[in-house]
Amino acid sequence: SQTIHQWPATLVQPVGSPLSLECTVEGTSNPNLYWYRQAAGRGLQLLFYSVGIGQISSEVPQNLSASRPQDRQFILSSKKLLLSDSGFYLCAWSVLASIEQFFGPGTRLTVL
Amino acid sequence: GDSVTQMEGPVTLSEEAFLTINCTYTATGYPSLFWYVQYPGEGLQLLLKATKADDKGSNKGFEATYRKETTSFHLEKGSVQVSDSAVYFCALRDNYGQNFVFGPGTRLSVLP
């Protein structure tokens, strides 16, 4: 069966520090991968999606970047965090053979 | 572009009350429709889905019917429980399978 992992689960970082969040998927090949951000009490904002290794599409201009170094690994990064980067970050995957999207447990990031 | 609109809430109900959360969408063609549920501090879980007009998705006592004529996918449950307290997201996936669009989420609180 398929599993999606995210780490860390929680993170507290100072403004201006770098960020690296990791997402890995098990049990499937060539998935589409997604990064979403959910600000406190708000809906989901799609940040990035990837249809293959090295292929990244950005939905909104921002302080963050994403990379996909391996088929089932998706990384969200920042060189210098802003206060506005605080939120709940969700990784998700999908495949064309299955219509729905599957979500990881999320990472709660607090920037102080 | 595609969009999803849902009542933002919060919705507060007493245990065993009837629940309706409205969802309408705008999309070209025939999208697939979903309801996801997010419990506190967790990622999103698929609750139910429908892939074509007049399909009814159901799970855990929740139901939603794909109504193309009204472009709606309202979520209903006949008798809610305290454990149903969560945020509910309506979503669609477009014909090409790459683009998911989420509504803003509706927070439901069920009181004993």
Side-chain angles (χ1 to χ4, degrees), chain A residues 32 34 36 38 43-44 51 88 90 94-96 98-101 103-105, chain B residues 32 34 36 38 41-44 46 49 51 89 93 96-98 100 102 104:
Chain A
N32 295 334
Y34 307 80
Y36 290 89
Q38 186 178 24
L44 295 174
V51 299
F88 193 51
L90 290 161
S94 70
V95 291
L96 289 178
S98 179
I99 62 167
E100 62 261 41
Q101 212 171 36
F103 284 82
Chain B
S32 297
F34 309 87
Y36 283 83
Q38 184 181 32
E42 299 183 7
L44 275 68
L46 179 66
K49 64 186 178 185
T51 59
F89 291 92
R93 179 175 184 172
Y96 305 101
Q98 307 284 26
F100 288 80
F102 285 81

Side-chain angles (χ1 to χ4, degrees), chain B residues 23-72:
Chain B
C23 171
T24 57
Y25 68 91
T26 302
T28 55
Y30 301 90
S32 297
L33 302 174
F34 309 87
W35 276 101
Y36 283 83
V37 58
Q38 184 181 32
Y39 298 103
E42 299 183 7
L44 275 68
Q45 302 174 25
L46 179 66
L47 181 60
L48 52 84
K49 64 186 178 185
T51 59
K52 60 183 187 296
D54 300 325
D55 265 2
K56 177 185 283 187
S58 61
N59 186 26
K60 299 181 181 180
F62 291 90
E63 293 183 340
T65 301
Y66 190 144
R67 301 288 188 199
K68 185 158 180 64
E69 64 276 14
T70 55
T71 62
S72 64

